[in-house]
Amino acid sequence: MSLLKNSSYLLTDTFGNIYHILYKDNNIEFIRYDKILSNSKQNTIAKNCNEHFFATIDKNNKIYMIYQKLDNNEIYFNTYSNGIWNSLILPSEEKYKIYEPYIIKDYNNFHVFYVKNSGSNDYDFIHTSIYNKDLIKNKLFTIKTKGILNSYNVIPYNKGIIILYIDLKNHYNNIVMRYFDLENNKLEKEIILNKEKNEKYYLDSLLLNNKTLSMTYSVKQEENFKIVFDYVNLNNKHAQVESRAILSNLSNAIYPTIINNNGDIWTCWYEYQNIMSSVKRKNKDNFEGPYLWRKVKGENILRYAYYSNIKNNSYKFNYAFGTFPDISFIGFGDISDAEKIPLKKKLKDDDDMEYVKPEKYYKEYEDDELDKFKSEIKENKKLITKILQSNIKENDTYEQLNERFEKIENNYKELENRINEIEEFLTRRRRGSIFNSR
């Protein structure tokens, strides 16, 4: 089995027709599968293009696509309706390649997002608002990396979007959440969802309801990767991870993908040229698996981005693995063709993976506790002043005095950091949360 790296989108309209938009040899190919006529038609819709493009479909079966030309770096916004393509060139002075473009339709407005390199290992997150032919462009924030840019996720939520991305903080990749109010063009402060000292890659997420967001990613450990699945509670004053499961063995497990299939939550990934997956059944607490899908041995596999207009669709996901060129999703559903693989590290339950409660990063501090910490810092400052003003006794060596200074200085810095975290938390608690249900 071979995993193809071509960017690929599957779109389905309300009539059951399928549109496959595929990047191949610097071109973007458009393949339409007609359900009634049972035939397909293919044509090239853009040539000499950046491999990073985006396509989606609205409730009126209108297709929207954004891509960048390689020869002049111009960014194109295309629409497809009733068999006709129309094109708009976005006014831009981009000198760099754009990555991970994304489109959100908000009534008659369009919001285009992408990232571009801003020098060294930093990338700017750009937002362009389109109304008719009027455009407003602004930079929302900067993503720091170690040289590898990870995919970001955009999740429509309330009157705006949740943006999930991996950012370099304190020498490690951490997952960061931000809420962007589309109506008021207002970006909220970042929320770091985890602070574990490990590298994280290949982020995917799926909104399960207005209170719960699921996300999965690969964690690097001992030069290998394992798949982690988190539930994020959006209903607290401060959005946070409330439960976690480790789904795979430590191997080369990459490209984790979340699929909601009739309430069963699947996580599928690519591992040693195989498709693997685990599933948390509806109304069950734990995941089962992992499963190895052997039926696809020898097949070419694509990771399809997916958008559908089919009413009462039995599954929801952003991506899914599937065979190519004959399209068939794999990694979820009927497990009769799948083989259960034992985890090398046994958990408490031999069959299911038990949730592990994550570290709680924010505690409930009261104002009197904050005053207590401030008082401790004040006392430390007095002690430092007293030592500086006193004479050094003969039996006090320079090393002993220096050691005392270092200890006091470390305590001071630690208390100051704790106060900063507490004050930030109390500010959020008084202000309320953007993630409360509306």
Side-chain angles (χ1 to χ4, degrees):
M1 187 191 79
S2 176
L3 179 64
L4 306 177
K5 299 299 178 67
N6 307 61
S7 298
S8 177
Y9 287 81
L10 281 183
L11 314 176
T12 58
D13 63 22
T14 52
F15 303 107
N17 301 313
I18 300 173
Y19 307 88
H20 184 197
I21 306 177
L22 173 71
Y23 182 84
K24 184 179 180 182
D25 299 328
N26 287 351
N27 298 331
I28 298 177
E29 303 293 330
F30 182 75
I31 310 167
R32 184 181 186 274
Y33 299 91
D34 191 297
K35 182 177 180 180
I36 295 177
L37 300 178
S38 297
N39 63 12
S40 63
K41 183 179 180 180
Q42 178 175 346
N43 62 295
T44 302
I45 55 176
K47 295 182 178 181
N48 195 28
C49 300
N50 177 350
E51 71 271 23
H52 292 272
F53 73 95
F54 179 84
T56 188
I57 189 168
D58 69 9
K59 62 182 181 180
N60 297 316
N61 298 325
K62 197 170 185 178
I63 294 174
Y64 305 97
M65 188 175 75
I66 185 167
Y67 63 93
Q68 182 186 39
K69 297 280 284 185
L70 291 175
D71 50 1
N72 53 18
N73 287 333
E74 287 184 332
I75 301 173
Y76 288 76
F77 179 70
N78 286 9
T79 58
Y80 175 85
S81 181
N82 298 319
I84 300 173
W85 283 99
N86 291 300
S87 183
L88 170 69
I89 300 177
L90 302 187
S92 175
E93 297 178 355
E94 296 296 358
K95 298 179 181 179
Y96 299 99
K97 177 180 180 180
I98 68 169
Y99 298 85
E100 306 291 336
Y102 195 91
I103 301 170
I104 288 282
K105 185 181 180 183
D106 181 26
Y107 299 104
N108 293 323
N109 298 333
F110 292 92
H111 298 272
V112 175
F113 303 90
Y114 60 86
V115 292
K116 67 170 185 175
N117 186 267
S118 57
S120 187
N121 294 327
D122 293 348
Y123 292 83
D124 291 339
F125 192 95
I126 305 297
H127 166 236
T128 301
S129 177
I130 305 173
Y131 181 73
N132 291 328
K133 292 188 178 182
D134 297 326
L135 291 91
I136 301 175
K137 175 183 172 184
N138 62 312
K139 184 184 85 172
L140 296 185
F141 52 85
T142 297
I143 300 173
K144 295 185 177 297
T145 76
K146 287 185 176 181
I148 299 176
L149 177 67
N150 285 277
S151 298
Y152 65 88
N153 293 185
V154 172
I155 305 106
Y157 188 80
N158 289 337
K159 296 181 180 180
I161 58 171
I162 293 172
I163 306 170
L164 280 181
Y165 59 99
I166 295 177
D167 195 21
L168 181 64
K169 294 184 180 298
N170 298 322
H171 310 291
Y172 293 97
N173 287 342
N174 286 307
I175 298 175
V176 178
M177 171 186 288
R178 282 194 158 176
Y179 179 77
F180 182 53
D181 187 331
L182 294 176
E183 285 189 356
N184 301 304
N185 196 38
K186 182 181 179 182
L187 181 68
E188 298 290 344
K189 290 184 178 180
E190 66 179 27
I191 299 172
I192 302 176
L193 292 178
N194 46 38
K195 294 183 179 179
E196 299 89 351
K197 294 182 178 180
N198 51 41
E199 301 300 327
K200 304 166 189 70
Y201 300 92
Y202 309 111
L203 175 67
D204 187 38
S205 61
L206 192 67
L207 189 67
L208 301 181
N209 53 57
N210 207 44
K211 298 180 180 180
T212 307
L213 174 72
S214 61
M215 68 179 186
T216 184
Y217 47 93
S218 295
V219 170
K220 190 175 183 180
Q221 183 179 337
E222 300 172 0
E223 301 305 316
N224 283 300
F225 294 93
K226 62 183 178 183
I227 303 299
V228 176
F229 182 98
D230 289 345
Y231 279 107
V232 180
N233 187 345
L234 301 178
N235 201 38
N236 287 339
K237 294 178 181 178
H238 179 82
Q240 62 182 359
V241 175
E242 65 176 11
S243 59
R244 171 170 298 148
I246 310 300
L247 303 184
S248 74
N249 290 309
L250 191 60
S251 59
N252 73 333
I254 56 177
Y255 298 118
T257 302
I258 300 175
I259 295 166
N260 184 344
N261 184 21
N262 283 320
D264 292 341
I265 307 302
W266 290 83
T267 302
C268 310
W269 63 91
Y270 182 73
E271 180 179 340
Y272 289 129
Q273 296 188 332
N274 290 296
I275 300 300
M276 306 281 293
S277 61
S278 291
V279 57
K280 191 186 82 64
R281 301 292 182 185
K282 189 176 182 180
N283 300 323
K284 298 291 184 180
D285 292 330
N286 299 325
F287 278 85
E288 63 181 56
Y291 294 101
L292 169 64
W293 299 78
R294 295 193 179 280
K295 189 176 181 180
V296 295
K297 277 286 187 182
E299 299 274 4
N300 286 326
I301 301 297
L302 277 173
R303 188 171 182 255
Y304 295 96
Y306 178 77
Y307 295 92
S308 175
N309 271 344
I310 298 177
K311 293 183 179 180
N312 303 317
N313 200 343
S314 61
Y315 41 70
K316 297 178 181 178
F317 50 82
N318 300 315
Y319 299 93
F321 293 104
T323 55
F324 177 79
D326 296 326
I327 302 171
S328 177
F329 290 138
I330 54 173
F332 64 98
D334 184 6
I335 59 173
S336 59
D337 293 324
E339 175 186 353
K340 191 171 184 179
I341 303 298
L343 287 173
K344 293 178 182 178
K345 183 178 180 180
K346 290 286 184 178
L347 297 176
K348 292 181 181 180
D349 191 321
D350 288 338
D351 295 321
D352 297 323
M353 278 154 282
E354 187 176 58
Y355 283 113
V356 179
K357 284 289 183 182
E359 177 186 358
K360 290 185 179 293
Y361 308 116
Y362 299 92
K363 299 179 181 178
E364 293 289 337
Y365 288 103
E366 300 299 333
D367 291 311
D368 58 344
E369 293 181 87
L370 186 59
D371 292 336
K372 179 182 176 182
F373 291 136
K374 287 182 177 179
S375 177
E376 288 184 31
I377 284 184
K378 187 176 180 181
E379 291 300 319
N380 273 329
K381 285 182 176 180
K382 287 181 180 179
L383 181 57
I384 291 173
T385 303
K386 186 176 180 181
I387 291 173
L388 290 173
Q389 292 174 346
S390 66
N391 294 323
I392 303 174
K393 296 182 180 180
E394 292 182 1
N395 59 348
D396 283 334
T397 65
Y398 172 80
E399 289 79 7
Q400 290 173 328
L401 186 59
N402 191 53
E403 184 179 343
R404 293 172 65 190
F405 272 120
E406 287 182 355
K407 185 176 181 181
I408 292 171
E409 186 179 14
N410 290 335
N411 288 339
Y412 172 73
K413 287 181 178 178
E414 182 180 350
L415 286 169
E416 214 171 33
N417 289 335
R418 291 171 70 185
I419 282 181
N420 289 336
E421 289 185 5
I422 295 164
E423 285 182 327
E424 183 180 338
F425 171 78
L426 290 174
T427 300
R428 286 193 301 267
R429 186 173 66 179
R430 295 187 189 104
R431 186 174 63 227
S433 172
I434 59 173
F435 295 109
N436 291 334
S437 300
R438 300 185 183 181

mmCIF file of all heavy atoms in Angstrom, residues 6 22 25 44 60 71 81 85 124 145 149 181 212 232 238-239 264 274 298 317 335 358 367 395 413 425:
data_model
loop_
_atom_site.group_PDB
_atom_site.id
_atom_site.type_symbol
_atom_site.label_atom_id
_atom_site.label_comp_id
_atom_site.label_asym_id
_atom_site.label_seq_id
_atom_site.Cartn_x
_atom_site.Cartn_y
_atom_site.Cartn_z
ATOM 1 N N ASN A 6 -0.758 13.704 -2.754
ATOM 2 C CA ASN A 6 -1.488 14.711 -3.522
ATOM 3 C C ASN A 6 -2.597 15.350 -2.681
ATOM 4 O O ASN A 6 -3.372 14.642 -2.024
ATOM 5 C CB ASN A 6 -2.128 14.086 -4.756
ATOM 6 C CG ASN A 6 -1.147 13.319 -5.605
ATOM 7 O OD1 ASN A 6 -0.553 12.346 -5.145
ATOM 8 N ND2 ASN A 6 -0.965 13.742 -6.846
ATOM 9 N N LEU A 22 -8.300 17.328 -7.507
ATOM 10 C CA LEU A 22 -7.034 16.668 -7.195
ATOM 11 C C LEU A 22 -5.851 17.457 -7.734
ATOM 12 O O LEU A 22 -5.874 17.941 -8.876
ATOM 13 C CB LEU A 22 -7.034 15.253 -7.805
ATOM 14 C CG LEU A 22 -5.751 14.441 -7.736
ATOM 15 C CD1 LEU A 22 -5.476 13.992 -6.301
ATOM 16 C CD2 LEU A 22 -5.838 13.227 -8.668
ATOM 17 N N ASP A 25 0.836 16.879 -10.722
ATOM 18 C CA ASP A 25 1.837 17.426 -11.657
ATOM 19 C C ASP A 25 1.684 18.936 -11.836
ATOM 20 O O ASP A 25 1.654 19.466 -12.958
ATOM 21 C CB ASP A 25 1.721 16.733 -13.023
ATOM 22 C CG ASP A 25 1.969 15.239 -12.939
ATOM 23 O OD1 ASP A 25 2.771 14.824 -12.079
ATOM 24 O OD2 ASP A 25 1.359 14.491 -13.718
ATOM 25 N N THR A 44 -8.805 19.829 -16.665
ATOM 26 C CA THR A 44 -7.851 20.608 -15.877
ATOM 27 C C THR A 44 -8.396 22.015 -15.703
ATOM 28 O O THR A 44 -8.716 22.695 -16.678
ATOM 29 C CB THR A 44 -6.482 20.663 -16.582
ATOM 30 O OG1 THR A 44 -6.007 19.333 -16.774
ATOM 31 C CG2 THR A 44 -5.484 21.451 -15.761
ATOM 32 N N ASN A 60 -26.278 25.421 -1.660
ATOM 33 C CA ASN A 60 -26.893 25.594 -2.977
ATOM 34 C C ASN A 60 -26.089 24.895 -4.078
ATOM 35 O O ASN A 60 -26.274 25.192 -5.257
ATOM 36 C CB ASN A 60 -27.022 27.087 -3.299
ATOM 37 C CG ASN A 60 -27.940 27.807 -2.332
ATOM 38 O OD1 ASN A 60 -29.014 27.308 -1.989
ATOM 39 N ND2 ASN A 60 -27.518 28.978 -1.873
ATOM 40 N N ASP A 71 3.816 30.956 -11.159
ATOM 41 C CA ASP A 71 4.625 31.858 -11.975
ATOM 42 C C ASP A 71 4.607 33.298 -11.478
ATOM 43 O O ASP A 71 5.602 34.024 -11.590
ATOM 44 C CB ASP A 71 4.186 31.793 -13.440
ATOM 45 C CG ASP A 71 2.688 31.949 -13.604
ATOM 46 O OD1 ASP A 71 1.991 32.122 -12.586
ATOM 47 O OD2 ASP A 71 2.211 31.903 -14.752
ATOM 48 N N SER A 81 -20.709 26.897 -10.702
ATOM 49 C CA SER A 81 -22.153 26.755 -10.572
ATOM 50 C C SER A 81 -22.749 26.425 -11.942
ATOM 51 O O SER A 81 -22.412 27.076 -12.940
ATOM 52 C CB SER A 81 -22.764 28.045 -10.021
ATOM 53 O OG SER A 81 -24.165 27.915 -9.877
ATOM 54 N N TRP A 85 -17.300 27.838 -14.522
ATOM 55 C CA TRP A 85 -16.327 28.377 -13.573
ATOM 56 C C TRP A 85 -16.179 29.884 -13.780
ATOM 57 O O TRP A 85 -16.101 30.372 -14.901
ATOM 58 C CB TRP A 85 -14.955 27.733 -13.763
ATOM 59 C CG TRP A 85 -14.835 26.348 -13.203
ATOM 60 C CD1 TRP A 85 -14.930 25.165 -13.880
ATOM 61 C CD2 TRP A 85 -14.591 26.000 -11.838
ATOM 62 N NE1 TRP A 85 -14.757 24.095 -13.030
ATOM 63 C CE2 TRP A 85 -14.542 24.586 -11.764
ATOM 64 C CE3 TRP A 85 -14.395 26.742 -10.672
ATOM 65 C CZ2 TRP A 85 -14.315 23.901 -10.562
ATOM 66 C CZ3 TRP A 85 -14.171 26.060 -9.474
ATOM 67 C CH2 TRP A 85 -14.136 24.666 -9.433
ATOM 68 N N ASP A 124 3.006 33.945 9.181
ATOM 69 C CA ASP A 124 1.894 34.845 9.490
ATOM 70 C C ASP A 124 0.569 34.208 9.092
ATOM 71 O O ASP A 124 0.446 33.619 8.000
ATOM 72 C CB ASP A 124 2.054 36.176 8.746
ATOM 73 C CG ASP A 124 3.214 37.000 9.279
ATOM 74 O OD1 ASP A 124 3.626 36.766 10.434
ATOM 75 O OD2 ASP A 124 3.713 37.868 8.536
ATOM 76 N N THR A 145 7.606 28.062 14.514
ATOM 77 C CA THR A 145 7.866 26.643 14.268
ATOM 78 C C THR A 145 9.352 26.335 14.436
ATOM 79 O O THR A 145 10.175 27.233 14.615
ATOM 80 C CB THR A 145 7.445 26.242 12.839
ATOM 81 O OG1 THR A 145 8.442 26.724 11.909
ATOM 82 C CG2 THR A 145 6.085 26.810 12.463
ATOM 83 N N LEU A 149 5.946 23.429 9.292
ATOM 84 C CA LEU A 149 4.635 24.034 9.513
ATOM 85 C C LEU A 149 3.578 22.945 9.572
ATOM 86 O O LEU A 149 3.424 22.156 8.643
ATOM 87 C CB LEU A 149 4.316 25.017 8.398
ATOM 88 C CG LEU A 149 2.935 25.676 8.449
ATOM 89 C CD1 LEU A 149 2.839 26.601 9.660
ATOM 90 C CD2 LEU A 149 2.654 26.445 7.168
ATOM 91 N N ASP A 181 -14.040 36.323 16.146
ATOM 92 C CA ASP A 181 -15.402 36.803 15.920
ATOM 93 C C ASP A 181 -15.476 37.406 14.518
ATOM 94 O O ASP A 181 -14.908 38.472 14.250
ATOM 95 C CB ASP A 181 -15.754 37.854 16.981
ATOM 96 C CG ASP A 181 -17.210 38.290 16.920
ATOM 97 O OD1 ASP A 181 -17.796 38.250 15.825
ATOM 98 O OD2 ASP A 181 -17.754 38.679 17.967
ATOM 99 N N THR A 212 -18.422 20.402 23.223
ATOM 100 C CA THR A 212 -17.298 19.464 23.186
ATOM 101 C C THR A 212 -16.617 19.460 21.824
ATOM 102 O O THR A 212 -17.261 19.293 20.790
ATOM 103 C CB THR A 212 -17.763 18.030 23.507
ATOM 104 O OG1 THR A 212 -18.478 18.039 24.747
ATOM 105 C CG2 THR A 212 -16.564 17.094 23.630
ATOM 106 N N VAL A 232 -12.013 18.262 24.411
ATOM 107 C CA VAL A 232 -11.848 19.620 24.909
ATOM 108 C C VAL A 232 -13.212 20.162 25.325
ATOM 109 O O VAL A 232 -14.155 20.172 24.526
ATOM 110 C CB VAL A 232 -11.231 20.543 23.832
ATOM 111 C CG1 VAL A 232 -11.071 21.955 24.373
ATOM 112 C CG2 VAL A 232 -9.887 19.989 23.377
ATOM 113 N N HIS A 238 -12.830 28.609 31.072
ATOM 114 C CA HIS A 238 -11.573 28.506 30.334
ATOM 115 C C HIS A 238 -11.561 27.155 29.631
ATOM 116 O O HIS A 238 -11.532 26.112 30.271
ATOM 117 C CB HIS A 238 -10.388 28.608 31.303
ATOM 118 C CG HIS A 238 -9.068 28.496 30.625
ATOM 119 N ND1 HIS A 238 -8.472 29.559 30.001
ATOM 120 C CD2 HIS A 238 -8.237 27.437 30.460
ATOM 121 C CE1 HIS A 238 -7.317 29.160 29.499
ATOM 122 N NE2 HIS A 238 -7.152 27.888 29.754
ATOM 123 N N ALA A 239 -11.626 27.163 28.277
ATOM 124 C CA ALA A 239 -11.658 25.899 27.531
ATOM 125 C C ALA A 239 -10.432 25.073 27.885
ATOM 126 O O ALA A 239 -9.310 25.595 27.950
ATOM 127 C CB ALA A 239 -11.689 26.180 26.036
ATOM 128 N N ASP A 264 -20.528 6.950 16.480
ATOM 129 C CA ASP A 264 -19.285 6.261 16.824
ATOM 130 C C ASP A 264 -18.116 7.149 16.407
ATOM 131 O O ASP A 264 -18.037 7.571 15.246
ATOM 132 C CB ASP A 264 -19.177 4.909 16.107
ATOM 133 C CG ASP A 264 -20.201 3.909 16.599
ATOM 134 O OD1 ASP A 264 -20.742 4.101 17.707
ATOM 135 O OD2 ASP A 264 -20.460 2.922 15.878
ATOM 136 N N ASN A 274 0.202 0.939 6.539
ATOM 137 C CA ASN A 274 -1.112 0.365 6.836
ATOM 138 C C ASN A 274 -2.041 1.463 7.352
ATOM 139 O O ASN A 274 -1.585 2.493 7.863
ATOM 140 C CB ASN A 274 -1.017 -0.731 7.892
ATOM 141 C CG ASN A 274 -0.324 -1.973 7.379
ATOM 142 O OD1 ASN A 274 -0.805 -2.641 6.458
ATOM 143 N ND2 ASN A 274 0.818 -2.293 7.967
ATOM 144 N N GLY A 298 -1.705 -3.225 -1.079
ATOM 145 C CA GLY A 298 -1.444 -3.097 -2.503
ATOM 146 C C GLY A 298 -2.190 -1.967 -3.180
ATOM 147 O O GLY A 298 -1.953 -1.685 -4.359
ATOM 148 N N PHE A 317 -16.736 14.302 8.907
ATOM 149 C CA PHE A 317 -15.298 14.360 9.118
ATOM 150 C C PHE A 317 -14.704 15.431 8.205
ATOM 151 O O PHE A 317 -15.332 15.872 7.246
ATOM 152 C CB PHE A 317 -14.623 13.006 8.865
ATOM 153 C CG PHE A 317 -14.981 12.345 7.563
ATOM 154 C CD1 PHE A 317 -14.350 12.698 6.377
ATOM 155 C CD2 PHE A 317 -15.951 11.349 7.516
ATOM 156 C CE1 PHE A 317 -14.675 12.083 5.186
ATOM 157 C CE2 PHE A 317 -16.290 10.721 6.324
ATOM 158 C CZ PHE A 317 -15.649 11.088 5.150
ATOM 159 N N ILE A 335 -16.067 -3.797 10.879
ATOM 160 C CA ILE A 335 -14.718 -4.259 11.228
ATOM 161 C C ILE A 335 -14.500 -5.737 10.884
ATOM 162 O O ILE A 335 -13.505 -6.321 11.315
ATOM 163 C CB ILE A 335 -14.425 -4.036 12.725
ATOM 164 C CG1 ILE A 335 -15.434 -4.791 13.595
ATOM 165 C CG2 ILE A 335 -14.419 -2.550 13.060
ATOM 166 C CD1 ILE A 335 -15.106 -4.747 15.074
ATOM 167 N N PRO A 358 -5.767 14.430 32.062
ATOM 168 C CA PRO A 358 -4.586 15.267 31.830
ATOM 169 C C PRO A 358 -4.256 16.119 33.034
ATOM 170 O O PRO A 358 -5.073 16.285 33.941
ATOM 171 C CB PRO A 358 -5.022 16.141 30.653
ATOM 172 C CG PRO A 358 -6.495 16.241 30.814
ATOM 173 C CD PRO A 358 -6.949 14.908 31.365
ATOM 174 N N ASP A 367 -8.858 35.462 45.678
ATOM 175 C CA ASP A 367 -8.088 36.683 45.777
ATOM 176 C C ASP A 367 -7.209 36.723 47.022
ATOM 177 O O ASP A 367 -6.126 37.295 47.008
ATOM 178 C CB ASP A 367 -9.031 37.894 45.775
ATOM 179 C CG ASP A 367 -9.692 38.074 44.425
ATOM 180 O OD1 ASP A 367 -8.971 38.049 43.418
ATOM 181 O OD2 ASP A 367 -10.919 38.230 44.377
ATOM 182 N N ASN A 395 32.999 34.128 59.005
ATOM 183 C CA ASN A 395 32.723 32.716 58.738
ATOM 184 C C ASN A 395 31.753 32.516 57.580
ATOM 185 O O ASN A 395 31.354 31.409 57.265
ATOM 186 C CB ASN A 395 32.178 32.024 59.987
ATOM 187 C CG ASN A 395 30.895 32.668 60.483
ATOM 188 O OD1 ASN A 395 30.540 33.750 60.044
ATOM 189 N ND2 ASN A 395 30.242 32.002 61.422
ATOM 190 N N LYS A 413 11.390 34.385 41.482
ATOM 191 C CA LYS A 413 10.935 34.219 40.103
ATOM 192 C C LYS A 413 9.757 33.248 40.028
ATOM 193 O O LYS A 413 8.803 33.463 39.279
ATOM 194 C CB LYS A 413 12.078 33.718 39.234
ATOM 195 C CG LYS A 413 13.137 34.771 38.946
ATOM 196 C CD LYS A 413 14.238 34.217 38.060
ATOM 197 C CE LYS A 413 15.270 35.291 37.746
ATOM 198 N NZ LYS A 413 16.373 34.774 36.917
ATOM 199 N N PHE A 425 -5.701 34.079 35.076
ATOM 200 C CA PHE A 425 -6.873 33.215 35.238
ATOM 201 C C PHE A 425 -8.051 33.988 35.838
ATOM 202 O O PHE A 425 -9.188 33.903 35.374
ATOM 203 C CB PHE A 425 -6.527 32.028 36.118
ATOM 204 C CG PHE A 425 -7.737 31.203 36.523
ATOM 205 C CD1 PHE A 425 -8.295 30.309 35.629
ATOM 206 C CD2 PHE A 425 -8.327 31.343 37.768
ATOM 207 C CE1 PHE A 425 -9.403 29.567 35.966
ATOM 208 C CE2 PHE A 425 -9.430 30.607 38.113
ATOM 209 C CZ PHE A 425 -9.967 29.716 37.219
#
